[in-house]
């Protein structure tokens, strides 16, 4: 079983959405977790836009990187430059990918503008997880 770890700065939205999609798309083929360099709490907009796709992440919670899980992972995916740059050193045998996605929590404007930013990032993550599923099955 492939172990995948999704990391971002605060484990509030991008990595949480990636965890949700990965659990749905990759299913029993992988062990999935997400974490952050810091804990910023689960963003309610991430929960809302994932629910629009039929994925409930409301029971997920913000957590910091678990060094043991990190070092036993087969693939580490960073979803922002901060996580990539501040991620603890891992053995070279662990595959690393960087998906540079804008932080939707930084969107400025009314609620509709902010939700649009979350939906855009959600859709990018869904596409990348789908591509990852194809690669992992080959």
């Amino acid at each position: 079983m492939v172990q995948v770890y999704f990391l971002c700065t605060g484990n509030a939205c991008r990595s949480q959405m990636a965890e949700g999609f990965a659990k749905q798309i990759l299913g029993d083929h992988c062990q999935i977790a997400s974490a952050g360099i810091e804990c910023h709490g689960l963003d309610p907009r991430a929960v809302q836009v994932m629910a629009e796709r039929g994925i409930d992440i409301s029971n997920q919670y913000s957590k910091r990187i678990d060094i043991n899980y990190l070092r036993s992972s087969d693939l580490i995916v960073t979803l922002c430059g901060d996580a990539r740059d501040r991620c603890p050193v891992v053995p070279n045998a662990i595959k690393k990918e960087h998906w540079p996605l804008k932080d939707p929590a930084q969107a400025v404007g009314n609620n509709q503008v902010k939700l649009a930013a979350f939906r855009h990032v959600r859709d990018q993550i869904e596409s990348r997880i789908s591509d990852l599923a194809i690669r992992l099955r080959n």
Side-chain angles (χ1 to χ4, degrees):
M1 179 178 294
V2 177
Q3 184 170 304
V4 183
Y5 211 11
F6 294 99
L7 306 176
C8 65
T9 302
N11 192 221
C13 47
R14 290 167 289 188
S15 56
Q16 295 284 358
M17 290 189 284
E19 179 180 348
F21 275 124
K23 285 179 176 177
Q24 181 189 58
I25 295 170
L26 302 175
D28 296 334
H29 301 291
C30 295
Q31 183 173 345
I32 308 297
S34 69
I37 304 297
E38 305 160 0
C39 291
H40 293 174
L42 179 59
D43 193 302
R45 288 186 182 99
V47 174
Q48 181 179 345
V49 301
M50 290 299 286
E52 294 171 0
R53 286 285 195 268
I55 300 172
D56 181 6
I57 64 168
S58 64
N59 291 321
Q60 293 178 197
Y61 61 94
S62 183
K63 50 213 162 293
R64 290 181 55 131
I65 294 172
D66 176 324
I67 296 299
N68 292 325
Y69 191 93
L70 181 86
R71 291 188 177 142
S72 65
S73 292
D74 299 294
L75 173 62
I76 296 169
V77 179
T78 53
L79 296 116
C80 68
D82 189 41
R84 178 197 59 211
D85 297 343
R86 294 175 55 197
C87 182
V89 175
V90 295
N92 288 333
I94 298 174
K95 185 174 178 178
K96 297 166 212 72
E97 291 187 17
H98 179 61
W99 301 351
L101 302 171
K102 284 188 173 185
D103 184 355
Q106 299 300 317
V108 177
N110 64 29
N111 192 50
Q112 288 307 101
V113 170
K114 292 176 181 179
L115 282 172
F118 272 83
R119 288 180 183 115
H120 178 71
V121 170
R122 174 204 61 201
D123 295 348
Q124 290 179 308
I125 292 170
E126 182 179 27
S127 175
R128 288 178 181 259
I129 297 288
S130 294
D131 290 344
L132 177 61
I134 292 166
R135 288 186 283 130
L136 289 176
R137 288 185 179 122
N138 289 333

